[in-house]
Amino acid sequence: MNETIAMAQEIDFSLLALFARATLTVKLVMIILIVMSFWSWAIIIQKHILFRKSRAEAQAFDQAFWSGEPLDELYERIGPEPQGASERVFAAGMLEWRRSHKQDGALIAGAQARIDRAMDVAIARESEKLNSGLSFLATTGSTAPFIGLFGTIWGIKNSFEEIAISQNTSLAVVAPGIAEALLATGIGLIAAIPAVVFYNKLNADSEHIQGNWESFADEFATILSRQLDS
């Protein structure tokens, strides 16, 4: 008994030591999970910055749009390369509005439908940029625990194989292998939990931002519709 305790005390159970003693398969599982975790955090930080920037740009543009400045002057001031997503949606509608006028000033039939479609396309493009990367968070959240569990099962299998080979069932023999195996599950949960939490938050924020673009497009289309009917 005393020898078993002494042997257990001599074993290094630090994270680095557990990783170093793990089998190649378990090490690969851990590395994959660590990469997934770092990639997830990179996406989370990048999206946080992007969403905050998008909200600030939308707020600034709304103030300019509803300031009473003529739409043509606002469009000219924005220029050919709009900076924000709201500006690009507005520019897409204004560009189609101008293209719908003949040289004599008359409107080409179907202008309203084309303007709506142009803004819808612009919103779809901006939404694609906004949502890029979120699918990886969802994938990480749903698969990381199972990848870690695979590493755990593989590590425990090797531990039992070592027990059978050494014919020794003492805790000092079993504990290191089981600890290494459980580390894989722990890393899997560390990767999955933030990915799930932030995916839900970022997805909700994305839908809110997209909803604001769609609301603006509807309001802008209503304004243009009044001019078409006048």
Side-chain angles (χ1 to χ4, degrees):
M1 179 67 177
N2 292 332
E3 292 181 0
T4 300
I5 295 174
M7 290 176 60
Q9 290 176 343
E10 293 176 359
I11 299 173
D12 186 0
F13 285 96
S14 66
L15 296 180
L16 289 177
L18 291 175
F19 176 81
R21 287 198 302 266
T23 63
L24 178 61
T25 301
V26 179
K27 283 180 180 177
L28 288 176
V29 168
M30 292 181 184
I31 290 172
I32 290 172
L33 292 171
I34 291 171
V35 171
M36 292 174 71
S37 180
F38 275 105
W39 195 352
S40 295
W41 278 108
I43 293 172
I44 290 167
I45 294 171
Q46 188 264 339
K47 290 301 175 185
H48 176 72
I49 295 172
L50 176 62
F51 286 8
R52 184 172 62 180
K53 182 180 178 182
S54 296
R55 284 190 288 264
E57 289 174 344
Q59 184 177 5
F61 176 75
D62 284 346
Q63 291 177 354
F65 182 81
W66 298 109
S67 65
E69 180 181 3
L71 296 182
D72 287 325
E73 293 182 11
L74 178 60
Y75 178 65
E76 293 295 338
R77 182 161 61 82
I78 290 174
E81 296 182 0
Q83 299 300 313
S86 296
E87 291 183 354
R88 285 189 283 270
V89 174
F90 167 74
M94 282 298 297
L95 179 61
E96 187 58 41
W97 165 261
R98 291 190 170 185
R99 287 176 175 173
S100 295
H101 284 81
K102 299 179 181 178
Q103 292 183 352
D104 59 1
L107 277 170
I108 302 173
Q112 185 68 54
R114 289 193 302 274
I115 292 170
D116 291 341
R117 190 158 51 247
M119 288 192 291
D120 288 342
V121 170
I123 290 174
R125 289 174 181 168
E126 298 302 324
S127 298
E128 185 176 355
K129 296 177 185 176
L130 206 64
N131 293 324
S132 63
L134 293 185
S135 59
F136 181 80
L137 293 182
T139 301
T140 299
S142 60
T143 61
F146 296 102
I147 296 174
L149 183 60
F150 168 77
T152 296
I153 293 172
W154 192 269
I156 291 175
K157 179 186 76 71
N158 291 329
S159 296
F160 281 119
E161 289 175 354
E162 291 177 4
I163 291 172
I165 293 172
S166 63
Q167 299 294 316
N168 188 347
T169 59
S170 67
L171 184 63
V173 174
V174 179
I178 294 178
E180 297 155 16
L182 291 176
L183 179 61
T185 295
I187 296 175
L189 293 175
I190 290 173
I193 293 173
V196 171
V197 172
F198 281 99
Y199 169 78
N200 291 330
K201 181 184 184 305
L202 293 173
N203 189 56
D205 291 345
S206 174
E207 290 179 354
H208 179 70
I209 294 172
Q210 293 174 61
N212 289 337
W213 292 339
E214 292 170 356
S215 296
F216 164 74
D218 291 340
E219 292 171 346
F220 184 36
T222 301
I223 293 172
L224 295 181
S225 177
R226 292 196 192 102
Q227 297 190 24
L228 288 171
D229 295 339
S230 62

